[in-house]
Structures are given as C-alpha cells and as structure tokens.
Amino acid sequence: MSIVITGASGRLGRLIIKELLHHVQPDQIVACVRQMDSAAALEEQGIAVRFCDYDDPASLKEAFAGASRLLFISSPHPDDTVRLRQHAHVVEAAKKANVSHILYTGFAFPEHSDMSMTHLHLATEHAIRTTGIPYTFLRSGLYMDFIEALDLQAAMSTGHLRVHPGSWQFNAVTRTDLAAAIAGVLSGEGHSNKTYELVAPSVWTFNDLVSSLSELTGTPISLCLTNEVQHWIFSFLRKIDTSSTSGDLENLLGRPPASLKASLQSYIGEVRSN
Ligand SMILES: NC(=O)c1ccc[n+]([C@@H]2O[C@H](COP(=O)([O-])OP(=O)(O)OC[C@H]3O[C@@H](n4cnc5c(N)ncnc54)[C@H](OP(=O)(O)O)[C@@H]3O)[C@@H](O)[C@H]2O)c1
C-alpha cells in the first residue's frame, strides 16, 4: 500500500503522519510538500517526500504516481474561487495518475450552510465523484483553535469573557483527534464511498466555556454578552453549522473526542508556557 498525503507540512498533515506511523511502515507513506527543505524530518524517518503545488498540475500528477490511497488535504488559500481551481487540479491529477482511492478533508455538514467555503467543499466532493474513483469524505468539524479569537487571555485577566450576543452552540474538535481518526481510516478497510462528519457527539455553549475556564484557572470568570464585540469570527460562525452532532468521530476513534475542558487545559498550558 502506498499512502500519498498532500499538505504534509501543515499542522493537520504532520499530526496525521505521526498517527499513521502507528499503523503502517514509513516506506508506505509519501509526503507531498511545496517546500522540499521543510520535510527533512520526514525523510529522516524513512518517509518519501515529493514536490507538489496545487497551482502546478504537472507536479501533482508526478506526486500522486502509484498512490493506492491519496489523502487530499484542502488548500488553505483564503480565496475560495482560487481554491476551487487548485482543487480541480488535484482531482484531475488523481484521475490521470490512476489513484485507487481518494480521501478528502472537507468541512462538516456543508449542506447546512450557504457560503463560499462550504460550496467549495461540496464542489470538491462532487468533482471527486465525477472521476469514478472510490472516495472517502472526511468532513472536519470546526477546529477548536477558533477559541483563540475569543481573547481568553483577556477573560482570564479581567474575569469577564466578552462575546457577541446570540444563542451560540459549538461543536469543535482538535486536530489531534481528527488526525487519529483520519490515520485509522487511511490505513484501514471498509471506508470506500463513505462520508464521515468528524464532529463531537455533543455541543457546548459560552456558559460551559466560562464554567470550565473558571474551574481550570481557579478564578471566577463571568460571561458578558455585548454588541461592542465585533470580531469577524462571530459573523463567520453565524454562517456555518456549529451545532449539529454526529457519532462518526467517536466511532472512528473508538473513544470520545477531547472534551471542551481537556482542550482548554492544553490551550491554557500553551498560553502559560509562552
Ligand atoms: N475545520 C476547520 O476549522 C479549518 C480551519 C482552518 C483551515 N481548515 C482547512 O484544513 C486544512 C488543513 O488545516 P491545517 O491546520 O493543516 O492548515 P495549515 O497548517 O495551514 O497547512 C496547510 C497545508 O497546505 C499546504 N499548501 C498550501 N498551499 C499549497 C499549494 N498551493 N500546493 C500544495 N500545498 C499547499 C501548506 O504547505 P506550505 O507549508 O508549503 O504552505 C500546508 O502543508 C487547511 O488547508 C484548510 O483548508 C479547516
């Protein structure tokens, strides 16, 4: 089996490779990167590294040669129209390279939103279906990192978490859990033509957030809803589905995904060590 991974130098890609090494030998993995010098650590582990640029179709066909499984990690480009073109290059190259199975990391519950980002992910899934190649859609939930936009440091120092008003509910996941689930699918069997919503089985609210934060810091932190908070994240969150749940991630992991409190604990640890 040859597992070819795009976006291998990124945060999710690196974690997936780390997890994958628990399931397969390093010589079964091919890491595709844009900057070859960023991949020395992978090569040292016996992982083949190939050049791949979503804007350079020829590089993609060469990078995907011999792939029995291609993990296509979505482009981080901020313009979804550009991303659509880049993704079309990847899908076309996968077809030309006779890839046996494409696994794509999209976004959870894309049908529930009407915005360019979710249209892009749906369009990519449809493009993959046009190839006739067996697929697996790994629809990632909102990364837990979004909480960084909430200025938790200010909340910890002032005792007030200020957020934009609304009846917010969140289903957010860690890259570590996504990586463990994706690595299991990549190296396992029985996932052909399946779509997984990689989100948690339950949601949390800002009240849950301040309660966990208070407990972890030992300082009472209260919630303050105010229109004065105008961060772009709130208009983004309003447009996507942040509250639907699924058992897919838990089933694939064979354990519950990280709780809000556990995720906050690592976040606070990182803040305190910086
Ligand atoms: N679910 C969510 O909440 C959420 C949030 C943010 C992003 N995402 C999506 O999830 C993806 C993975 O997340 P991540 O945290 O791993 O992102 P990341 O750390 O930014 O990694 C993105 C990867 O894509 C590579 N890349 C960028 N442009 C490329 C190109 N033109 N050709 C080939 N490779 C290219 C980067 O390579 P270089 O190192 O060379 O730049 C990097 O390896 C993102 O790309 C984005 O589409 C999801």
Side-chain angles (χ1 to χ4, degrees), residues 7 9-12 34-35 53-54 74-76 83 141 143 175:
S9 58
R11 284 164 288 181
L12 181 63
R34 266 198 309 183
Q35 292 150 48
D53 185 340
Y54 297 154
S74 56
S75 162
R83 282 216 279 180
Y143 291 168
R175 283 190 191 77

Side-chain angles (χ1 to χ4, degrees), residues 53-99:
D53 185 340
Y54 297 154
D55 292 310
D56 174 358
S59 76
L60 299 172
K61 190 177 163 218
E62 276 179 42
F64 301 163
S68 37
R69 292 183 183 176
L70 169 66
L71 176 66
F72 168 21
I73 293 186
S74 56
S75 162
H77 200 286
D79 183 330
D80 288 316
T81 309
V82 174
R83 282 216 279 180
L84 188 60
R85 189 181 63 227
Q86 293 179 326
H87 287 193
H89 288 158
V90 174
V91 175
E92 209 176 344
K95 190 174 176 180
K96 285 184 183 158
N98 290 318
V99 165

